[in-house]
Amino acid sequence: MLVVLKIGSSVLEKDGKPDEKIFDGISSVIGDCLKEGKAKFVVVSSGAMLFGVMETNLKKAENLIRKQALCAIGQPKLMNMWEKSLSKYGLKPAQILLIHDDFASKERSQNVKNTIEEIIKMGFIPIVNENDPVSTEEIKLGDNDFLSVYLSALINAEKLIIASDIDGVIDESGKVIEEINFEDKEIWKKIKTIKSKKRVSSGGITSKLSATKLASEFGIESFIINGKKPENIKMAVEGKRVGTRIIPGKKYPKKILWIGNVLKCKGKLEVDEGAFNAIISGKSLLPSGVIKVSGNFSRGDMIELEFNRKTFAKGISNYSSAEINLIKGKKTSEIERILGYKREDEIIHRDNMMILLD
């Protein structure tokens, strides 16, 4: 079984210093599971900025450039801790730093998948983190909760374990919710959300819930557990009752979920009522239904569709914004006459589109 284990910054520190016992405990569990043939691991480890803060004795990062610098300082320290702890159990780490484009590009995402598979085959433990020092807002993944979901889907992991400093998702009475099924529309009313008070944090329980909801749509079983107790990781691997288990929901096609949740929007098309009704009934978008083009995008980019000032769908465009500006409102039979060529009949094919309406 292939497991993605996401470890939050708060798990890895104690009293403002790296918690060596936690690193050792998690490494021990990984070693035990490997020896017993229960799981192979890909670790998504936060902590670069936190370790940078520790190294520089700064209380906080004042701006994006400072945050990136702290991550650059902290990442080697983080990897050094993993190397030191894993080596005690005969294991070695391999570092992988990713940005959004590594998932948005088909070629690059396949390369990431192939590399991770080869690292595992060679007997090393992939340690993944976002490449924060080079991540701008345009290429940033958001936080490691979502990185772990994207990665789980990409490498076809069977289980995602999110290790934090909480015992699980709690309800309004303060009790841990043992199982969550996001197909239950009332579940959000039962969950108590808590604002983070940590020095360094980009996620939080809301982020974890949103991430595991997406994981469930990919058909991946998830656990939110207390990583301060490393034995919980093994319990989650074994499917025992621990923390909060998120039940896999209805599995959607990976390509459609990738379009709707992973790819960055590069532009927008406003469509008429006829196109709107056709699309929500399962048909493709033709040039005749386009009223207005916004943004500067290329063929193959993800764009949003809007009707009555509301975004209702996302999809992969067969034509660039410049081309669509020339053929909007025209019949499919006129495309070649106007452009001098015709790639496709549709601007967006229904198989490359995600409808956002409930």
Side-chain angles (χ1 to χ4, degrees), residues 3 23 88 106 134 136 140 195 249 256 276 280 296 330:
V3 174
F23 277 94
K88 296 176 182 179
K106 186 176 181 180
V134 302
T136 62
K140 194 170 178 60
K195 290 184 179 180
I256 300 302
F276 170 76
I280 62 174
N296 183 16
K330 306 297 183 181

Side-chain angles (χ1 to χ4, degrees), residues 14-79:
K14 185 178 181 181
D15 301 327
K17 296 180 180 179
D19 192 339
E20 190 172 336
K21 287 185 178 181
I22 288 295
F23 277 94
D24 288 351
I26 294 172
S27 297
S28 174
V29 168
I30 290 173
D32 287 346
C33 288
L34 283 169
K35 286 178 184 177
E36 295 168 13
K38 291 180 177 178
K40 296 177 180 179
F41 288 88
V42 175
V43 177
V44 175
S45 178
S46 299
M49 186 160 69
L50 176 64
F51 279 38
V53 168
M54 292 177 184
E55 185 70 13
T56 58
N57 294 316
L58 293 174
K59 292 183 178 180
K60 63 178 181 178
E62 298 170 354
N63 52 49
L64 178 60
I65 298 299
R66 178 60 61 85
K67 287 180 180 178
Q68 291 176 315
L70 288 171
C71 288
I73 293 166
Q75 183 64 29
K77 308 294 180 184
L78 176 65
M79 285 304 299

Side-chain angles (χ1 to χ4, degrees), residues 220-264:
I220 300 167
E221 180 185 25
S222 303
F223 284 83
I224 297 173
I225 64 167
N226 190 335
K228 288 290 190 181
K229 302 173 183 176
E231 64 273 13
N232 287 346
I233 297 169
K234 191 172 185 180
M235 292 177 68
V237 167
E238 295 172 344
K240 294 180 179 177
R241 185 171 293 180
V242 62
T244 299
R245 173 179 177 254
I246 291 81
I247 301 169
K250 176 185 175 183
K251 190 172 182 179
Y252 294 89
K254 184 185 289 188
K255 181 171 75 170
I256 300 302
L257 287 173
W258 216 254
I259 290 170
N261 296 280
V262 181
L263 302 184
K264 295 280 189 182

Side-chain angles (χ1 to χ4, degrees), residues 164-220:
S164 187
D165 59 353
I166 56 174
D167 291 328
V169 182
I170 61 173
D171 61 20
E172 289 296 337
S173 67
K175 294 182 180 179
V176 173
I177 301 173
E178 293 183 352
E179 282 191 341
I180 288 178
N181 184 346
F182 282 111
E183 292 184 2
D184 175 8
K185 302 299 181 183
E186 300 296 311
I187 191 63
W188 293 100
K189 297 178 182 178
K190 303 173 186 175
I191 296 169
K192 183 176 182 179
T193 58
I194 304 171
K195 290 184 179 180
S196 175
K197 296 181 180 179
K198 304 164 193 171
R199 278 197 298 169
V200 178
S201 176
S202 62
I205 192 61
T206 302
S207 170
K208 288 167 180 53
L209 288 167
S210 298
T212 52
K213 180 178 184 295
L214 178 56
S216 75
E217 292 171 358
F218 276 114
I220 300 167

Side-chain angles (χ1 to χ4, degrees), residues 5-21:
L5 171 62
K6 186 267 177 178
I7 304 169
S9 299
S10 58
V11 174
L12 301 175
E13 73 147 336
K14 185 178 181 181
D15 301 327
K17 296 180 180 179
D19 192 339
E20 190 172 336
K21 287 185 178 181

